[in-house]
Amino acid sequence: MTAKVSYGSVEAGTELPAQSFPVTRATLVQYAGASGDFNPIHWNERFAREVGLPDVIAHGMFTMAEAIRVVTDWAGDPGAVVDYGVRFTKPVVVPDDDKGALIEVSGKVAAKLDDNLVRVDLVAMCDGKKVLGMSRAVVRLA
Amino acid sequence: MALDQSFVGRTYPPTPAYEVGREKIREFAEAVGDTHPAYVDAEAARALGHADVIAPPTFVFSITYRAAGEVVQDPQLGLDYSRVVHGDQKFSYVRPVRAGDRLTVTSTIEGIKSLAGNDILDVRGDVHDEAGELVVTTLMKLVARAAEEA
């Protein structure tokens, strides 16, 4: 594991570069294929509405995969992530248009731990709503 | 209907080995739009100290979720899968998953709770490599929403 950020260079409160991740219906079809999660709520509007959703929603695991990129891109080595957890609080609704939805992720160092580890708290928003809660990663810095 | 508490602690037999393919890792990384070279370029992965290309952090969920299917669909447990939503997800890594790994998953029911008519099920997945070493532990919280009053 070779993170490019040194433990000594960060402190509690250090902000990570924020990123935005667009998601369209095509993105969800591609993710369904790659992940093997073909639940129709992620691609079939008729089905999604039948089960009480406003529209097709993104896979929670897709959002989780995007959010950690703020940490892995910052740390430089995806293998430096030691722990990662989220709570799925609100769905990411993906309309059937060219624009889709936008997941906006920011993160900051919440605490410095032992052994060059830091805890990063992430915030993931879509359409002004928090889509992940308790979103935290522990990463080993250089 | 509340789930049977006696299932807490129950461990299911390990799954057959899943072989992690480099093209599967590439496909997953492309699907989440992640262009990090360590996922596709063995040289770049080695420069970071990994033996081969590694998988993005959440890649292993596809494997542990499939393994948990046995728990979720255990007719004796009686979870109403049509009402299930994914509540929480956690990963604790010993090392990153990499191409060539042959991974087995052992699923354990960590907890069963009933809250306001919702059934809450915690399933742990212990993922081991061919040498029997622990690679990652996953925790998945599923919530089966209470059936609406007719």
Side-chain angles (χ1 to χ4, degrees):
Chain A
M1 326 290 161
T2 324
K4 69 184 181 196
V5 177
S6 78
Y7 181 77
S9 71
V10 305
E11 49 196 310
T14 297
E15 289 190 18
L16 280 59
Q19 293 192 54
S20 295
F21 306 100
V23 44
T24 66
R25 292 288 178 85
T27 317
L28 297 184
V29 171
Q30 191 177 356
Y31 184 78
S35 68
D37 182 346
F38 294 99
N39 189 329
I41 60 173
H42 305 306
W43 53 268
N44 183 328
E45 188 170 326
R46 173 178 50 80
F47 184 90
R49 290 188 194 279
E50 267 172 26
V51 298
L53 294 166
D55 203 335
V56 161
I57 63 168
H59 304 72
M61 289 307 299
F62 175 83
T63 304
M64 189 174 186
E66 298 304 335
I68 195 63
R69 287 174 58 191
V70 164
V71 177
T72 54
D73 284 351
W74 171 70
D77 180 3
V81 177
V82 171
D83 270 295
Y84 179 35
V86 307
R87 172 162 296 167
F88 302 105
T89 48
K90 286 265 190 281
V92 171
V93 178
V94 182
D96 183 17
D97 58 27
D98 294 337
K99 222 170 104 253
L102 193 67
I103 302 166
E104 296 170 280
V105 183
S106 58
K108 66 174 181 203
V109 174
K112 292 184 81 171
L113 314 172
D114 293 341
D115 295 331
N116 282 13
L117 297 172
V118 299
R119 195 186 95 211
V120 173
D121 287 1
L122 294 163
V123 176
M125 306 285 292
C126 181
D127 211 12
K129 285 184 280 252
K130 223 171 156 179
V131 292
L132 298 178
M134 309 280 292
S135 183
R136 295 169 168 187
V138 174
V139 57
R140 178 166 284 119
L141 300 179
Chain B
M1 198 180 67
L3 299 175
D4 185 349
Q5 285 287 333
S6 73
F7 277 73
V8 175
R10 180 171 298 206
T11 293
Y12 291 74
T15 56
Y18 173 101
E19 185 166 329
V20 178
R22 64 185 62 246
E23 294 304 332
K24 192 66 197 177
I25 292 176
R26 179 196 299 272
E27 183 189 357
F28 186 90
E30 281 177 358
V32 298
D34 196 331
T35 57
H36 197 290
Y39 302 142
V40 291
D41 177 353
E43 205 67 15
R46 276 193 281 273
L48 294 170
H50 307 297
D52 202 334
V53 292
I54 60 171
T58 62
F59 174 89
V60 76
F61 178 79
S62 299
I63 308 167
T64 57
Y65 181 66
R66 203 168 305 167
E70 197 187 338
V71 180
V72 169
Q73 287 158 25
D74 184 337
Q76 289 183 300
L77 179 64
L79 188 71
D80 181 358
Y81 191 61
S82 71
R83 310 198 65 82
V84 164
V85 294
H86 197 174
D88 291 27
Q89 182 63 40
K90 283 189 185 140
F91 300 91
S92 296
Y93 306 92
V94 178
R95 65 160 173 89
V97 167
R98 58 182 175 243
D101 273 338
R102 289 175 56 80
L103 303 175
T104 57
V105 184
T106 308
S107 301
T108 301
I109 298 182
E110 282 266 295
I112 293 175
K113 272 188 219 130
S114 190
L115 212 66
N118 298 325
D119 285 322
I120 301 169
L121 182 69
D122 290 312
V123 182
R124 192 180 82 228
D126 293 309
V127 181
H128 290 90
D129 64 17
E130 207 167 16
E133 300 289 336
L134 184 66
V135 176
V136 51
T137 294
T138 65
L139 277 168
M140 174 172 70
K141 188 184 288 292
L142 297 177
V143 182
R145 291 166 297 150
E148 282 126 29
E149 297 293 324

